């Protein structure tokens, strides 16, 4: 079974631009979560989606948004990019239960110049 | 507060020796705990998990111990191999669809 896939793997943007990242979950998984990983803050939860509904959200500004499609694929968008948004953005999928194991993709490395 | 932390940021271990990675947590309401391994350039890889109603769980070359009295979690790796070199994270799940991660321990295996 294929794992979680994320596209693109690397991205370079400039301040003020916006970016959209994509995640395809493991087949059969209906929950997709997003995390931001930085050297200073570590791994931080952004949001989680199940059946196209956001069930939980972390403490990030409104510039960070996401959505999920009917096929469980998910996208996250960051608008008005700031230098501090440079990070590895990780997507994880699970079956959808509150404590089901989350399996991570390889991440998208975003660099904001 | 709600946090999951690791005792040591780095661990150097001789190949063939056993490794012990520690993690302290503060939220008694956590439902279960997970250990992930992250190699350079990759996403976190699931290693093993343990429910809050368990004290010990074993996998292939790994054992996780949970001490709820002192809110302590540990990962033991038997016969550490070069391929075990990575950053190890403990994560906490309170049953709310999200994981709270510790800061990570970088394990380096010496040949």
């Amino acid at each position: 079974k294929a794992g979680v896939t994320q596209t693109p793997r690397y991205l370079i943007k400039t301040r003020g631009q916006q970016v959209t990242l994509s995640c395809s979950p493991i087949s059969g998984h209906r929950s997709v979560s997003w995390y931001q990983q930085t050297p200073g803050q570590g791994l931080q939860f952004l949001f989680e989606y199940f059946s196209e509904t956001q069930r939980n959200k972390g403490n990030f500004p409104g510039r960070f948004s996401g959505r999920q499609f009917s096929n469980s694929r998910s996208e996250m968008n960051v608008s008005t990019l700031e230098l501090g948004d440079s990070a590895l953005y990780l997507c994880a999928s699970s079956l959808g239960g509150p404590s089901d194991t989350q399996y991570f993709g390889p991440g998208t490395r975003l660099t904001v110049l | 507060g709600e946090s999951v932390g690791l005792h040591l940021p780095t661990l150097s271990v001789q190949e063939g020796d056993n490794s012990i990675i520690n993690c302290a947590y503060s939220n008694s309401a956590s439902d279960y705990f997970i250990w992930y391994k992250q190699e350079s350039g990759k996403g976190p890889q699931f290693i093993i998990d343990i429910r809050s109603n368990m004290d010990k769980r074993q996998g292939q070359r790994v054992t996780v111990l949970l001490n709820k009295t002192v809110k302590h979690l540990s990962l033991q790796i038997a016969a550490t191999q070069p391929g075990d070199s990575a950053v190890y994270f403990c994560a906490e799940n309170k049953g709310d669809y999200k994981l709270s991660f510790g800061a990570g321990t970088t394990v380096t295996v010496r040949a």
Side-chain angles (χ1 to χ4, degrees):
Chain A
K1 187 181 283 191
V4 178
T5 58
Q6 293 187 244
T7 56
R9 292 293 312 279
Y10 302 91
L11 208 49
I12 300 176
K13 293 286 187 179
T14 57
R15 281 183 301 173
Q17 288 187 308
Q18 73 166 13
V19 66
T20 299
L21 312 181
S22 181
C23 171
S24 292
I26 292 170
S27 178
H29 284 190
R30 297 174 62 192
S31 166
V32 173
S33 300
W34 289 90
Y35 294 82
Q36 181 196 64
Q37 185 175 27
T38 60
Q41 299 298 317
L43 277 149
Q44 293 189 295
F45 172 77
L46 281 157
F47 27 65
E48 187 265 358
Y49 289 89
F50 179 85
S51 292
E52 304 177 65
T53 299
Q54 187 183 87
R55 295 192 296 190
N56 202 347
K57 185 178 187 301
N59 296 323
F60 280 82
R63 299 185 297 106
F64 292 81
S65 63
R67 60 176 175 170
Q68 187 181 35
F69 303 95
S70 58
N71 61 358
S72 295
R73 190 178 68 85
S74 177
E75 290 181 346
M76 68 163 283
N77 183 277
V78 188
S79 62
T80 319
L81 284 166
E82 301 177 358
L83 296 179
D85 296 333
S86 293
L88 180 67
Y89 289 89
L90 292 158
C91 165
S93 77
S94 76
L95 291 171
S99 299
D100 280 334
T101 301
Q102 295 187 23
Y103 297 92
F104 285 82
T108 294
R109 172 72 63 186
L110 172 65
T111 302
V112 182
L113 303 176
Chain B
E2 298 180 358
S3 65
V4 180
L6 289 167
H7 291 310
L8 293 173
T10 61
L11 177 67
S12 180
V13 60
Q14 187 71 36
E15 181 179 356
D17 287 352
N18 296 334
S19 303
I20 298 176
I21 307 166
N22 295 304
C23 180
Y25 67 94
S26 59
N27 194 322
S28 300
S30 295
D31 184 46
Y32 87 124
F33 304 87
I34 314 99
W35 283 100
Y36 285 93
K37 170 187 179 183
Q38 187 174 25
E39 296 174 278
S40 180
K42 297 183 179 180
Q45 176 189 357
F46 171 83
I47 301 174
I48 192 168
D49 61 10
I50 186 167
R51 300 282 165 177
S52 58
N53 61 354
M54 300 171 68
D55 298 321
K56 179 180 179 179
R57 191 170 186 207
Q58 289 184 292
Q60 187 176 12
R61 283 201 306 119
V62 295
T63 300
V64 56
L65 300 177
L66 177 62
N67 186 329
K68 294 179 285 294
T69 301
V70 295
K71 297 180 183 176
H72 182 268
L73 185 72
S74 68
L75 177 70
Q76 301 177 5
I77 305 173
T80 310
Q81 302 170 358
D84 295 326
S85 292
V87 181
Y88 290 80
F89 294 94
C90 61
E92 174 184 15
N93 186 318
K94 297 187 290 293
D96 56 357
Y97 313 110
K98 77 174 195 180
L99 299 175
S100 298
F101 284 86
T105 290
T106 300
V107 173
T108 303
V109 180
R110 306 189 306 273

